[in-house]
Amino acid sequence: MAVGIQPYYTLLQEFIGITSISSETLEKLKEDYRDKIDSTRTLDNICDMKSLIKILDRRDVIRYDNIDELKKIEQNYIKDESVKELISSYENWLEENIHNISNLYTHALVPRVDDIYSAENQNESRIPLHGALSEINVGFTTTATININQTTNSFEDRQRELQELVLKEISKRVGRHWKDISRKLDLQESVLEEIEKKHSDEVMGFQKMFNQAVQIYFEDNPRNWKLQLLQALELARRRDLKEKAQEIILRYDALHN
């Protein structure tokens, strides 16, 4: 049976929901991770535990298969038995399931990419994955309650931010396949030729070609781009990029409830 990594994101949400730190502790944590975050602007925007965890996750400082830094935060700053138990429960789950984790969107707790914004045509915020306040059973034992705050950003703002994150990661790995993937997105050959001519002699030319091509695609498909992009990557035989894009989309959606 295919297993997804939603328990990892539930762990992060519960960790955020049940931990409380002072402003002094937060500054110490920011200093601890200054080198790994490697951005003064990003550090300045970290205002609480939630924003810190989100950045550490984005920077791959913590991952579904490596939560050592999360453990260090608990051991050095939180020192709470319930948090320690939460982490231990997740580690037990991971040990049992690590070899079975495959397609992220096959997991029962993860919505399909085309269903994530069920209310996208309405003037309302997206409904969180598990409700505003819920007890969640994800396959490992926990009694923690999660308080999930809805984002105040508009749907369009969230889409643009997510598009930038996905494109930034996959464009630097696309290489000569940029045109194959672009064709699967139904971009016209004349458009691709014009883009190729523009960037053919430039440093990181393939990356720039792909960036421009996909930006054109995003402009024409502002809402339904997720599933189509994943399908294009699959059809172009770049499953590695598809899996990377899936991971980014899932992370973003799970942490922006």
Side-chain angles (χ1 to χ4, degrees), residues 98-209:
I98 186 64
H99 297 300
N100 297 323
I101 294 175
S102 53
N103 189 332
L104 304 182
Y105 287 104
T106 62
H107 194 272
L109 293 178
V110 183
R112 300 178 67 86
V113 291
D114 50 348
D115 294 332
I116 286 175
Y117 293 101
S118 60
E120 65 185 24
N121 293 321
Q122 303 175 25
N123 294 322
E124 57 185 52
S125 301
R126 179 165 68 92
I127 300 172
L129 293 179
H130 305 293
L133 187 65
S134 58
E135 297 284 345
I136 301 174
N137 182 353
V138 293
F140 57 91
T141 303
T142 175
T143 58
T145 300
I146 306 173
N147 188 1
I148 304 175
N149 296 318
Q150 292 193 23
T151 177
T152 57
N153 292 338
S154 68
F155 170 77
E156 288 76 15
D157 289 339
R158 293 196 301 269
Q159 291 295 278
R160 281 192 290 269
E161 182 179 44
L162 179 53
Q163 287 170 351
E164 290 175 4
L165 291 171
V166 171
L167 187 54
K168 178 181 178 181
E169 285 300 315
I170 65 177
S171 64
K172 59 189 178 185
R173 297 176 172 88
V174 71
R176 296 181 180 275
H177 292 87
W178 79 271
K179 190 177 286 188
D180 292 335
I181 299 169
S182 299
R183 289 187 181 116
K184 301 302 182 184
L185 293 172
D186 292 327
L187 292 176
Q188 296 181 359
E189 196 68 23
S190 59
V191 173
L192 300 183
E193 290 175 358
E194 183 177 343
I195 292 173
E196 186 173 35
K197 182 178 180 180
K198 178 180 179 181
H199 299 292
S200 59
D201 296 325
E202 297 181 7
V203 177
M204 298 188 296
F206 292 136
Q207 182 174 343
K208 293 177 181 179
M209 293 173 195

